[in-house]
Amino acid sequence: MARRVHVELGERSYDIVIGRNIRIGTVLKQTGATGGLLVSDSNIDPVHGDACQAGLESIGLKVARLVIPAGEQSKSMTSLCRIYDRALELGLDRFSFMVALGGGMIGDLVGFAAATYMRGIALAQVPTSMLAMVDSSVGGKTGVNLEQGKNLVGSFYQPVEVAVDLALLETLPEREFVSGLAEVVKYGVIDDFELFELIEANVDGVLQRSGKLLEQIVARCCEIKAGIVSEDEREGGRRAILNFGHTFGHALENAEGYGRLLHGEALAVGMVYAAELSAWECGLPVDQKERRSKLLRSLGLPVSPADAGMTWNMLREKMTADKKTRASVPRFVLAEGIGSVIIGRTVSEEVLAEAFEVLVCRA
Ligand code: GLY
């Protein structure tokens, strides 16, 4: 039986349905919409596009398809305009819908298209990657990248439904699956020590994508995210804890060139960097710092920058373009211990550079 996790946001509330071979589109149907656009990418559409379209059509929703080239480079204004063009060509109106079938790139891009097309139409998220299932499909962050940085244009726009079909993970390439596990570890670090320990004790089972364990982990991550988003939808406060590891992670992703490092891989390095800063700035015990790196490594995630030529100056410059930066001073989420985090911390330039050196030495 499918599990349901409720995201309470008043009139914008919705459920995340988690299971295997689950039905998609029932809530879209209830909105009264009859037609829409199913957007996917060139990796996902050939594998899951037909089944998703058939599922929507089986409940009377007429749907056309659009395929965007796979890869983070497609999370762009150019792709956004392609979606608008296709929607207009199809005559979609304010009562139409969009379905985002894919990983984080598709979810963010299509979410932003749905948020802005005709000032907002109904959106369903059908995540196909681990990262999208536990993070990006939930909570309404949508947007595209600019050359200067990640997610610099976007909006908060909630879907009407999120269908997390774990069967879709069976075809997910190993590297992408592992990349998504970085977000899972993040929830353990910022909020739930039991989750952290569960992963630590079951690394092999997690990597084998074992059925019940995977369902338990995905559902727990969705519960944590739903709770945080319900409390602070627009990141006025607590939601910022979800950015743990992201200040450095986004800078690294951008400096390496989008697509070289997957988001979760950059996040893993970013979390190790944040832990290093936390040890300097708020006394994160060394054993806890090491425990995080060890877990990330045992899952097959990187813990230092992959590119040996990456310099501190390159990364520091990229951090200035981060959304969390104010007046050129980057802000960090730091941790005092597992489950205890501090948001919006600034750190001296010396410590920032020193922590980078420590990271490079780990390579
Ligand atoms: N991925 C961070 C957030 O949704 O707030």
Side-chain angles (χ1 to χ4, degrees), residues 68-355:
I68 302 286
E72 185 71 15
Q73 294 90 335
S74 285
K75 199 171 136 181
S76 64
M77 298 298 282
T78 309
S79 305
L80 190 63
C81 290
R82 276 193 64 196
I83 300 177
Y84 296 145
D85 287 346
R86 185 82 178 107
L88 287 166
E89 212 175 82
L90 291 164
L92 299 191
D93 60 24
R94 283 171 47 219
F95 306 99
S96 306
F97 62 83
M98 287 186 194
V99 176
L101 172 69
M105 181 280 281
I106 283 290
D108 286 9
L109 171 70
V110 181
F112 190 50
T116 46
Y117 184 74
M118 304 271 164
R119 296 208 177 93
I121 62 173
L123 166 72
Q125 291 278 5
V126 186
T128 59
S129 71
M130 187 66 177
L131 180 139
M133 288 181 185
V134 298
D135 180 48
S136 58
S137 69
V138 176
K141 277 193 180 175
T142 73
V144 295
N145 302 330
L146 298 181
E147 212 172 283
Q148 294 89 332
K150 249 183 100 83
N151 302 329
L152 291 183
V153 176
S155 69
F156 289 96
Y157 192 69
Q158 301 298 339
V160 297
E161 66 177 288
V162 180
V164 176
D165 191 337
L166 297 167
L168 304 187
L169 287 179
E170 282 156 24
T171 52
L172 189 68
E174 181 69 6
R175 186 176 166 202
E176 282 203 38
F177 178 73
V178 168
S179 165
L181 294 176
E183 294 284 358
V184 175
V185 172
K186 184 191 79 179
Y187 287 112
V189 169
I190 62 171
D191 194 77
D192 187 350
F193 189 44
E194 273 179 32
L195 175 64
F196 187 91
E197 288 193 310
L198 180 71
I199 308 162
E200 211 173 36
N202 293 283
V203 168
D204 289 344
V206 171
L207 290 174
Q208 283 155 16
R209 313 181 195 189
S210 91
K212 280 270 167 275
L213 178 66
L214 200 61
E215 188 176 321
Q216 185 187 357
I217 287 175
V218 170
R220 182 64 195 130
C221 294
C222 289
E223 271 168 19
I224 296 171
K225 177 123 192 204
I228 294 169
V229 168
S230 298
E231 202 181 297
D232 178 22
E233 182 185 10
R234 299 177 71 89
E235 205 172 296
R238 184 161 181 250
R239 183 167 180 167
I241 70 172
L242 294 169
N243 295 331
F244 183 75
H246 281 70
T247 307
F248 187 89
H250 279 170
L252 187 60
E253 231 179 321
N254 184 287
E256 294 252 6
Y258 292 126
R260 299 259 315 270
L261 268 186
L262 298 178
H263 175 68
E265 293 168 344
L267 170 61
V269 183
M271 286 196 285
V272 176
Y273 182 76
E276 206 54 58
L277 294 183
S278 302
W280 285 75
E281 295 288 309
C282 30
L284 177 71
V286 175
D287 62 319
Q288 283 209 23
K289 189 183 78 171
E290 293 308 324
R291 206 166 156 186
R292 291 148 194 244
S293 304
K294 192 168 162 224
L295 179 57
L296 292 167
R297 221 190 245 122
S298 65
L299 290 167
L301 285 158
V303 293
S304 71
D307 180 354
M310 183 66 57
T311 65
W312 169 242
N313 285 344
M314 285 156 84
L315 280 160
R316 181 62 189 82
E317 193 187 316
K318 296 296 179 192
M319 275 189 201
T320 307
D322 192 87
K323 287 198 303 309
K324 295 172 280 306
T325 293
R326 279 190 229 154
S328 299
V329 181
R331 311 266 154 170
F332 293 87
V333 180
L334 300 184
E336 291 171 312
I338 289 180
S340 167
V341 288
I342 305 163
I343 56 178
R345 273 292 287 260
T346 57
V347 178
S348 73
E349 292 296 331
E350 293 73 33
V351 172
L352 291 180
E354 193 75 35

